[in-house]
Amino acid sequence: MGILVIAEHDGRQLKPGTTNTITAAAKIGGDIAVLVAGHNCAEAAQAAAKVAGVAKVLHADAAHYAGGAAENLAALVVSIAGGYSHILAPATGFGKNFMPRVAAALDVQQVSDISAVVSADTFVRPIYAGNAMATVQSADKVKVITVRATGFDAAGEGGSAAVEALAAGPDTGLSKFNGQELSKSDRPELTAAKIIVSGGRGMGSGENFKLLEALADKLGAAVGASRAAVDSGFVPNDYQVGQTGKIVAPELYIAVGISGAIQHLAGMKDSKVIVAINKDPEAPIFAVASYWLEADLFNAVPELTAAL
């Protein structure tokens, strides 16, 4: 049987994580179908059809699929699950919202947050905040899986899959999508950025994050933060990188005033190059850093920005 990937999208294009999930599906082996469900999402369906490795795109368009509400989306997935051996979605807020409901409805155990595929029934996933890796084997007839995007490269373009209309299922009436308010920024989205500059409790205040913003502007980078900085009210929640925030793996991650708690490291240690600036020589962040600077950030960051 084939593999079904549930696409996360904004109606026009696929969101980061979907193409990585398609790569994970390709490693399992089998024909890959991508489900694009939403409202007025024909452009996203066409984008999915162009991804290499995709054999078929299922396009379900109805008002009650707007916003990806878990109840209606899960019901749709369950209704077509019989034709697939594996059902995959990104381990983002999107996937974590509805995939457990799919697993429960199918009476199977979900395999969460996989970072590697060993075989069609065996997967590797991080445990203990990424300090250990567990190899798990599923005997369920249908494997319901969420994929850690940073564990797989994004699938490229080059596909020419057919787009098939999928009849929308009924509205369960259990929830209704009223709207969403998105943060507006000229900087790249955190999970898609190639460079990220993050600040921690050492920044001292939200006002001081202007130092990081100036550096980020020079680098064309996104701005992130540790949970300590978010909990202290320095920056909004959507800045948070870590186990309970966003999992990122940019080409360059600059950690400023971040001590390096396990929960933060779990969210960024797969970054290609890690640069840490901290005046504490014992900061745990130095253990994972490619380069580190033991210095006062309030001197070092302006100097770095000026040099750039």
Side-chain angles (χ1 to χ4, degrees):
M1 288 194 291
I3 300 171
L4 179 65
V5 173
I6 317 302
E8 181 177 4
H9 60 88
D10 62 5
R12 294 177 293 103
Q13 53 192 343
L14 303 179
K15 288 196 172 182
T18 299
T19 50
N20 307 75
T21 302
I22 291 171
T23 298
K27 291 182 180 295
I28 294 171
D31 291 337
I32 300 171
V34 176
L35 172 62
V36 178
H39 187 43
N40 297 328
C41 57
E43 286 185 57
Q46 291 297 329
K50 296 177 183 177
V51 178
V54 175
K56 177 172 62 176
V57 174
L58 302 175
H59 176 212
D61 201 310
H64 56 272
Y65 294 137
E71 293 81 359
N72 288 327
L73 182 56
L76 176 65
V77 174
V78 170
S79 71
I80 61 174
Y84 301 96
S85 59
H86 298 72
I87 300 173
L88 281 68
T92 57
F94 168 78
K96 292 176 182 179
N97 190 33
F98 76 92
M99 286 291 272
R101 183 178 285 269
V102 171
L106 295 174
D107 195 25
V108 300
Q109 298 183 79
Q110 178 175 302
V111 183
S112 303
D113 215 21
I114 69 164
S115 58
V117 174
V118 178
S119 67
D121 65 354
T122 306
F123 313 93
V124 177
R125 60 181 302 271
I127 59 174
Y128 303 129
N131 283 292
M133 306 301 287
T135 301
V136 296
Q137 186 175 37
S138 171
D140 287 322
K141 183 178 180 180
V142 180
K143 278 88 175 159
V144 176
I145 301 166
T146 59
V147 176
R148 176 172 286 210
T150 58
F152 301 89
D153 293 332
E157 291 193 350
S160 56
V163 178
E164 298 181 7
L166 179 66
D171 185 351
T172 63
L174 296 173
S175 67
K176 179 184 176 184
F177 176 71
N178 290 324
Q180 62 186 358
E181 184 176 334
L182 301 177
S183 300
K184 295 181 180 179
S185 174
D186 293 331
R187 298 190 182 91
E189 185 181 349
L190 197 57
T191 53
K194 292 183 178 181
I195 303 174
I196 296 174
V197 179
S198 278
R201 199 198 312 269
M203 295 304 299
S205 71
E207 183 70 18
N208 290 331
F209 263 77
K210 290 181 178 179
L211 296 174
L212 302 190
E213 291 169 357
L215 176 58
D217 289 341
K218 289 287 186 182
L219 295 168
V223 176
S226 68
R227 178 171 179 173
V230 171
D231 286 351
S232 298
F234 296 169
V235 289
N237 284 356
D238 55 355
Y239 279 47
Q240 186 177 327
V241 172
Q243 185 181 16
T244 54
K246 294 177 180 175
I247 309 295
V248 299
E251 294 179 8
L252 172 62
Y253 188 90
I254 303 177
V256 182
I258 294 176
S259 62
I262 288 173
Q263 291 81 0
H264 186 76
L265 298 184
M268 46 64 71
K269 66 180 182 180
D270 289 332
S271 304
K272 305 300 184 292
V273 176
I274 300 171
V275 175
I277 301 174
N278 201 302
K279 65 181 180 182
D280 178 9
E282 303 298 324
I285 191 75
F286 289 155
V288 300
S290 313
Y291 304 93
W292 57 92
L293 177 62
E294 184 186 330
D296 186 326
L297 69 90
F298 295 106
N299 295 325
V301 173
E303 289 177 10
L304 177 56
T305 304
L308 289 167

